[in-house]
Amino acid sequence: MSVSSSKFSLGPVLFYWQPDVWRDFYFRMADEADVDTVFVGEVVCSKRLGVFAPHLQAVCERLQAAGKEVVMSSLALIMSAEELDAVRALTGQTDYLVEANDISACSMLSGRDHAIGPYVNIYNEGTLASLVERGASRICLTPELPRDSLAILAAASCAELEVQVFGRYPLALSARCYAARARGLSKDECRYVCAEDGDGMDVDTVDNDAFLAVNGTQTLSAAYGNLIAELSDLRKLGIHRFRLSPHTVDMVAIAGLFREVAEGRMDATEGDVQLTGLAPDMPFANGFFHGVEGAAFVG
């Protein structure tokens, strides 16, 4: 497969951005970003669903008009009948491919073509084969898999595999809202305080070392995943779909940079230098891929 076959995806916005900011971000991605697929939908908190709903149709239409494939992402944690109903409604529509981020969504989509997001843990060939048999044609693997595991899964898969190559890694979800609790609020009366943290709220150790980040109910890595230097290796493994997770940086420029490196118009070292220039305040990590601690950066 040639380098030109590499496909880039823009993952769903994980954070609570003000609705007009959220809408305008996707409008700009539609018009300017060199990506093939854009994931849209609320993954983290069901309280946000209604906030973005008024803009959803316009966003999807703008993306499609610009030639982007639109995939709808489901919630990654379902804890109530209302949330189950929301996921059931999403999986019941047929206008867009749906990405399941919870095993119950996988069940609802069984027998239909669908995608699977990184919140469904796949660590071996048996799990992969079972999900593919049920209709999964595209799977974004969980970010903590090392290169050797990716190689095994890529060799065994007849579905397209995707790996997140930029952005904070999603690690866990909880019933408790950390953002609200940190401000002395309950989850039910959160006042959407997660809007104060556009890329998540940093969590440091008592020694003031970066530890994690929280996004409402979600735990993320403190460092930002950066696999721009590993794109060539990923292609050699048979993985040709790469996901960029949105953050409050110039995602148009970052998408273009990853594309330049993937298609051989820029070497990886220069790409890494330019990426650092675009996001100078972001600590990078690629440790998971290299089989060491995830927060490490292997140069």
Side-chain angles (χ1 to χ4, degrees), residues 74-136:
S74 75
L75 287 168
L77 182 62
I78 301 172
M79 298 181 293
S80 69
E82 291 78 10
E83 290 172 346
L84 188 62
D85 287 343
V87 174
R88 186 175 287 114
L90 178 67
T91 57
Q93 61 82 37
T94 57
D95 294 332
Y96 305 102
L97 186 71
V98 176
E99 178 185 65
N101 285 303
D102 177 271
I103 199 64
S104 60
C106 295
S107 178
M108 294 176 197
L109 291 163
S110 183
R112 293 169 45 197
D113 183 28
H114 62 276
I116 291 180
Y119 302 88
V120 177
N121 293 328
I122 299 173
Y123 297 123
N124 57 63
E125 307 96 308
T127 302
L128 179 66
S130 177
L131 292 170
V132 171
E133 286 174 5
R134 287 164 171 77

Side-chain angles (χ1 to χ4, degrees), residues 70-222:
V70 175
V71 180
M72 303 301 294
S73 294
S74 75
L75 287 168
L77 182 62
I78 301 172
M79 298 181 293
S80 69
E82 291 78 10
E83 290 172 346
L84 188 62
D85 287 343
V87 174
R88 186 175 287 114
L90 178 67
T91 57
Q93 61 82 37
T94 57
D95 294 332
Y96 305 102
L97 186 71
V98 176
E99 178 185 65
N101 285 303
D102 177 271
I103 199 64
S104 60
C106 295
S107 178
M108 294 176 197
L109 291 163
S110 183
R112 293 169 45 197
D113 183 28
H114 62 276
I116 291 180
Y119 302 88
V120 177
N121 293 328
I122 299 173
Y123 297 123
N124 57 63
E125 307 96 308
T127 302
L128 179 66
S130 177
L131 292 170
V132 171
E133 286 174 5
R134 287 164 171 77
S137 60
R138 191 181 309 174
I139 297 169
C140 185
L141 295 169
T142 186
E144 66 263 29
L145 291 174
R147 183 192 185 281
D148 290 349
S149 296
L150 293 173
I152 292 169
L153 292 175
S157 180
C158 57
E160 287 187 281
L161 299 185
E162 183 175 63
V163 169
Q164 180 177 322
V165 295
F166 176 80
R168 278 181 156 163
Y169 291 129
L171 300 177
L173 286 148
S174 170
R176 173 172 290 175
C177 178
Y178 303 112
R181 187 170 178 82
R183 295 167 173 87
L185 301 170
S186 69
K187 181 180 179 181
D188 290 338
E189 302 294 334
C190 68
R191 304 177 193 168
Y192 295 99
V193 291
C194 51
E196 298 173 16
D197 307 304
D199 291 315
M201 181 175 67
D202 294 335
V203 179
D204 296 335
T205 68
V206 293
D207 296 320
N208 294 317
D209 295 324
F211 178 48
L212 295 168
V214 294
N215 166 38
T217 61
Q218 184 181 40
T219 303
L220 301 160
S221 61

Side-chain angles (χ1 to χ4, degrees), residues 40 55-65 70 72 96:
V40 180
H55 300 302
L56 189 59
Q57 182 176 349
V59 162
C60 292
E61 290 176 353
R62 182 79 161 256
L63 289 165
Q64 286 187 313
V70 175
M72 303 301 294
Y96 305 102

